[in-house]
């Protein structure tokens, strides 16, 4: 989701300050609280070293330059993990959340309203809300995970954003299944 923050921030800075005189029916208090940039039907792609690293959409996105604040609704993003990284074993990661809020300068954000992740390997995850601070992703809400050979439930989660570490917390339950016979 921070990819959306970065792209939106760059667009907002490029667009400059909004001209409230162009909208004479807007009160001064409404103009003071209005975002610097408001977009509908946003689609983005992020590239690094000539390859797409993420792409996504947001139905509605507001950006405030002061503080680098971002609000987005109905968001979806696909991450393309770098080959050889911890996340690469999962394949493409599809993330979605009805609501996302972030701060560019702080490298932080929240997603809520039903956060979901699905990997091409078959792994799935869902929780009501997550928080991102620096390189750490956390949740204090119930988390459900499933994938090839496992089903897990916890009442919280702590995870490194690069996928190198993840721990379910507060009353973890689950089952591990033996590998399905591949020889059949």
């Amino acid at each position: 989701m921070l990819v959306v923050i970065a792209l939106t921030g760059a667009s907002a800075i490029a667009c400059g300050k909004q001209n409230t005189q162009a909208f004479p029916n807007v009160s001064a208090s409404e103009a003071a609280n209005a975002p610097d940039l408001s977009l509908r039907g946003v689609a983005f792609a992020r590239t690094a070293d000539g390859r797409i690293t993420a792409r996504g959409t947001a139905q509605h996105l507001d950006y405030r330059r002061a503080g680098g604040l971002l609000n987005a609704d109905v968001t979806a993003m696909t991450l393309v993990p770098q080959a050889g990284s911890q996340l690469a074993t999962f394949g493409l990661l599809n993330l979605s959340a009805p609501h996302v809020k972030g701060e560019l300068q702080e490298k932080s954000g929240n997603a809520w309203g039903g956060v979901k992740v699905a990997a091409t390997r078959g792994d799935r995850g869902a929780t009501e809300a997550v928080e991102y601070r620096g390189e750490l992703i956390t949740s204090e809400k119930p988390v459900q995970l499933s994938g090839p050979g496992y089903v897990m439930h916890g009442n919280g989660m702590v995870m490194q954003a690069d996928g190198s570490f993840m721990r379910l917390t507060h009353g973890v339950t689950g089952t591990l299944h033996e590998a399905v016979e591949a020889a059949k």
Side-chain angles (χ1 to χ4, degrees), residues 38-109:
S38 186
L39 302 169
R40 305 286 187 266
V42 177
F44 71 90
R46 183 186 188 291
T47 60
D49 300 322
R51 69 178 194 88
I52 293 176
T53 59
R55 61 182 176 266
T57 60
Q59 191 175 77
H60 172 213
L61 189 139
D62 287 340
Y63 178 77
R64 288 178 173 79
R65 212 171 8 169
L69 300 176
L70 167 95
N71 288 314
D73 292 321
V74 190
T75 61
M77 182 169 71
T78 299
L79 296 176
V80 183
Q82 185 173 359
S85 71
Q86 295 281 341
L87 293 176
T89 59
F90 294 98
L92 296 177
L93 299 171
N94 298 298
L95 304 130
S96 64
H99 309 286
V100 175
K101 211 178 236 194
E103 297 181 35
L104 257 175
Q105 287 86 357
E106 298 295 322
K107 294 185 180 176
S108 65

Side-chain angles (χ1 to χ4, degrees), residues 133-166:
R133 296 281 178 256
E135 295 301 317
L136 201 60
I137 300 169
T138 62
S139 180
E140 293 298 322
K141 302 289 184 182
V143 177
Q144 297 81 38
L145 300 174
S146 64
Y150 70 94
V151 175
M152 305 289 293
H153 302 277
N155 290 307
M157 172 193 75
V158 177
M159 178 181 174
Q160 286 293 130
D162 66 1
S164 62
F165 171 82
M166 181 185 177

